[in-house]
Amino acid sequence: MKICEGRVAIITGAGRGLGRAHALMLARHGAKVVVNDIGTSASGEGVDQTPAQEVVALIREMGGEAIVDNSDVADWNGAKNLIKNAVDTFGKLDILINNAGILRDGMLINTTEQDWDAVVRVNLKGTFAPIHHAANYWREQSKAGKPVDARVINTTSHSALYANIGQTNYAAAKAGVATLSIVAARELGRYGVTVNAIAPRAETRMTQGLKEWTPEQLERRDPEWIAAFVTWLASPASRGISGRVFEAWGYGYSVAESWQHGPITPATKDPSTLDKEIANIIKFSRKNAGIDRDTWLEP
Ligand SMILES: NC(=O)c1ccc[n+]([C@@H]2O[C@H](COP(=O)([O-])OP(=O)(O)OC[C@H]3O[C@@H](n4cnc5c(N)ncnc54)[C@H](O)[C@@H]3O)[C@@H](O)[C@H]2O)c1
């Protein structure tokens, strides 16, 4: 059964890895797809139009409809043109999957200003800018009385949710994406738009060589496991689910529960009285969920 028949989807960073898998799966499920990608290196250097062109060719070969878009998602006008490109070509927009991302890992003391700016720009601004322009389009549609049943699916990371060492820039940007998704969900619900985020885990060029996987572990890191969940989230069936962050990979899909209010002690204007009170709330609070306990769901 095709679950996204006739829907129009933009997938950013869809020339490779996870975005490519999302684009192919959505097309197989009947969506018309804008394959956005500037074709840059994993650390955001250079441009190459061929990865996006290859994905479009594959979709057309299987009888689907797709176009290439080479906009830089973190460029304000590039993001605006990306949304316009979808609407001008296919007459509407139903799904925005913000997947483009880059990495420049390093310990905090070695991270340069350029490494910080580039990673925050692509991952965080490159998520906000397309949502901003798409949301304005959906708001206009909704105000004109046209039905809107739209989806935004953003891409965060375990590195952000569970604080991976050596990734201050990437973790800060992706944590921003997670919280942005929850705020956007609250703002855009009135226009018929749901917003969720996924923290995926897959073997792509971004993660290649991190560890030696067994053939079974490698198979569970196939991007298709994540694309199936993303395609469901993009479909009308996910209506009503919004403002959630999901973890997704070949071992399962789960909800990452967000920050919670913990134990509380009365406020004071005398800091010298706080030793016992703060020790007490720490004692009775849950530990931060940690990336070190990384056996989550994996046998
Ligand atoms: N692979 C994993 O396990 C994993 C884990 C957590 C999060 N993620 C996130 O998933 C997303 C996809 O990652 P991937 O593993 O497929 O990596 P990838 O490097 O294979 O794909 C990323 C794509 O984004 C494109 N891109 C980069 N900057 C762009 C820009 N400014 N405009 C348009 N396109 C741009 C690149 O050209 C590339 O094709 C990223 O946001 C990444 O941070 C991946």
Side-chain angles (χ1 to χ4, degrees), residues 139-247:
R139 179 171 171 269
E140 278 167 28
Q141 296 294 106
S142 167
K143 294 222 151 172
K146 297 187 183 147
V148 176
D149 188 19
R151 304 282 179 272
V152 177
I153 301 153
N154 296 325
T155 310
T156 181
S157 172
H158 286 84
S159 305
L161 304 177
Y162 306 121
N164 200 25
I165 285 176
Q167 294 192 307
T168 46
N169 52 0
Y170 183 73
K174 292 297 200 188
V177 168
T179 300
L180 182 164
S181 304
I182 300 168
V183 177
R186 299 184 67 194
E187 291 189 15
L188 301 182
R190 76 194 70 162
Y191 306 122
V193 182
T194 70
V195 186
N196 293 288
I198 59 153
R201 276 204 269 183
E203 182 77 350
T204 66
R205 71 171 181 178
M206 200 179 253
T207 48
Q208 225 158 23
L210 279 182
K211 275 186 195 161
E212 284 275 316
W213 305 119
T214 65
E216 156 69 10
Q217 287 175 320
L218 200 56
E219 214 291 305
R220 295 287 174 179
R221 284 165 174 77
D222 184 338
E224 282 218 351
W225 299 106
I226 298 153
F229 178 59
V230 164
T231 301
W232 182 83
L233 268 185
S235 77
S238 76
R239 189 180 300 122
I241 298 174
S242 196
R244 291 297 189 154
V245 178
F246 295 95
E247 302 182 62

Side-chain angles (χ1 to χ4, degrees), residues 57-76:
L58 278 174
I59 292 174
R60 290 183 180 158
E61 260 168 43
M62 60 194 205
E65 288 183 59
I67 56 162
V68 172
D69 180 286
N70 294 123
S71 309
D72 175 351
V73 288
D75 179 88
W76 198 250

